[in-house]
Amino acid sequence: MAAPAFAEFKLSDRYSDTDGDLIADIPADAADQIDPSTLIFAYTPVEDPAVYAEVWAGFLDHMSEVTGKKVQFFPVQSNAAQIEAMRAGRLHVAGFNTGSNPLAVACGGLRPFAMMAAEDGSFGYEMEIISYPGSGIEKIEDIKGNKLAFTSETSNSGFKAPSAILKADFEMEAGRDFEPVFSGKHDNSILGVANKDYPAAAIANSVRARMVERDVVSNDQLTTLYTSQTFPTTGYGVAHNLTPDLQAKVKEAFFSFDWEGSALEEEFGKSGEAQFIEISFKKDWEVIRKIDDANGVVYNCQ
């Protein structure tokens, strides 16, 4: 569906951006807008989707009340499948992970508008490169000649950011200085290191925090070799061609949701989130587009 190319970030020719906000405009012609009876929602596959179906159930009930639509949870298995589903019109509302947000915007017509944040409005997570005690890897340079687990090529913390940082700060490149392997998801990478299947991995520390809180892994099974700057987290948005009224109601559902006592609070409170806040793809994802540029990657939408 999409392949790396050397070019600046731009939308697919399928979409227009007359206001310069870097996201697809809502079609001007009402005939090109859609108003589905059932809204399909998907959450980024950072972990097993089965973990999150129940977590999101209460929120989706709230969205149903606000929009007057049925809302169905769609368990996606990969970032590529999630983006393709939105591009093809099978997905209407979704949270896309940090690294795949630019591809979802450019190729899938995503209009992101919200992100989870702490009660004080702060947000984000850090990329960590981790190992395990006794691995023989005490610092980043010790990864040379070993394997490093990434998640997927569309993940910011699972691939893009560590690739750029290892090259710029440590003069290390995959294939030349270490063997890259791909686990598919952050929980796979974290479990892989904890179980000593991978000597090192690049992961999002927000996922690690939630797994520790659920007692899936313990911190004493892991060592941290590197911690990055703070990045924006999962961006939530709508398909560009939903009617303006429906898009407004979906936004209302996000910003009116009561977190107190909810399954979202129970799960995402483990990594500090307590509310949805408004975001700007142009401003808040600038650092991510710069990482793409440093990696020589933007997206050629097919």
Side-chain angles (χ1 to χ4, degrees):
M1 180 200 66
F6 291 87
E8 294 183 4
F9 177 85
K10 67 176 183 177
L11 297 181
S12 164
D13 292 340
R14 293 162 56 98
Y15 313 116
S16 62
D17 175 24
T18 57
D19 56 6
D21 62 0
L22 300 186
I23 64 176
D25 296 334
I26 300 173
D29 189 340
D32 296 324
Q33 300 168 7
I34 62 171
D35 188 20
S37 59
T38 299
L39 289 172
I40 307 301
F41 172 88
Y43 177 63
T44 180
V46 291
E47 298 182 63
D48 184 348
V51 172
Y52 287 99
E54 292 186 10
V55 168
W56 283 100
F59 174 82
L60 299 189
D61 287 343
H62 173 70
M63 185 187 296
S64 180
E65 291 177 8
V66 173
T67 62
K69 307 283 187 180
K70 294 180 180 178
V71 184
Q72 180 178 331
F73 183 85
F74 174 41
V76 292
Q77 298 294 332
S78 71
N79 299 132
Q82 187 181 21
I83 294 165
E84 174 59 19
M86 181 161 282
R87 188 199 67 79
R90 300 190 304 271
L91 178 61
H92 308 119
V93 186
F96 284 89
N97 71 355
T98 304
S100 69
N101 235 268
L103 178 56
V105 169
C107 299
L110 173 71
R111 289 172 55 86
F113 62 82
M115 174 168 47
M116 289 183 181
E119 192 170 350
D120 63 3
S122 61
F123 60 83
Y125 70 97
E126 291 76 43
M127 179 276 293
E128 291 182 358
I129 298 177
I130 60 172
S131 186
Y132 58 84
S135 67
I137 299 177
E138 305 294 333
K139 57 186 184 299
I140 291 293
E141 290 82 357
D142 294 337
I143 295 173
K144 287 185 176 180
N146 278 292
K147 292 180 179 179
L148 176 64
F150 294 120
T151 58
S152 67
E153 292 184 351
T154 56
S155 173
N156 178 61
S157 55
F159 180 71
K160 294 180 180 182
S163 295
I165 289 167
L166 287 170
K167 183 176 181 180
D169 295 349
F170 299 95
E171 298 182 347
M172 292 171 58
E173 293 185 36
R176 186 190 70 186
D177 300 296
F178 60 88
E179 180 185 348
V181 294
F182 289 87
S183 72
K185 297 174 185 174
H186 288 271
D187 59 340
N188 291 344
S189 288
I190 293 165
L191 284 169
V193 172
N195 293 326
K196 303 181 181 181
D197 297 325
Y198 303 132
I203 55 100
N205 62 4
S206 56
V207 179
R208 171 180 174 172
R210 295 197 295 270
M211 293 177 69
V212 169
E213 284 291 324
R214 291 201 302 268
D215 294 323
V216 178
V217 296
S218 61
N219 278 322
D220 61 9
Q221 293 178 280
L222 308 168
T223 58
T224 302
L225 308 174
Y226 181 92
T227 303
S228 75
Q229 71 183 87
T230 299
F231 298 118
T233 187
T234 297
Y236 298 86
V238 293
H240 80 293
N241 59 342
L242 296 184
T243 64
D245 180 62
L246 183 52
Q247 292 196 32
K249 287 180 179 178
V250 170
K251 290 181 182 181
E252 179 186 344
F254 274 84
F255 298 130
S256 65
F257 180 70
D258 184 2
W259 280 63
E260 187 173 356
S262 70
L264 283 191
E265 180 188 48
E266 182 180 357
E267 176 63 19
F268 291 99
K270 296 167 184 174
S271 48
E273 283 97 355
Q275 62 174 322
F276 289 107
I277 62 169
E278 192 169 355
I279 60 167
S280 160
F281 174 75
K282 186 173 185 178
K283 174 179 175 289
D284 295 319
W285 257 258
E286 182 179 14
V287 64
I288 307 305
R289 295 192 301 273
K290 285 182 177 179
I291 288 172
D292 278 349
D293 185 61
N295 285 327
V297 174
V298 290
Y299 301 97
N300 177 26
C301 308
Q302 302 297 328

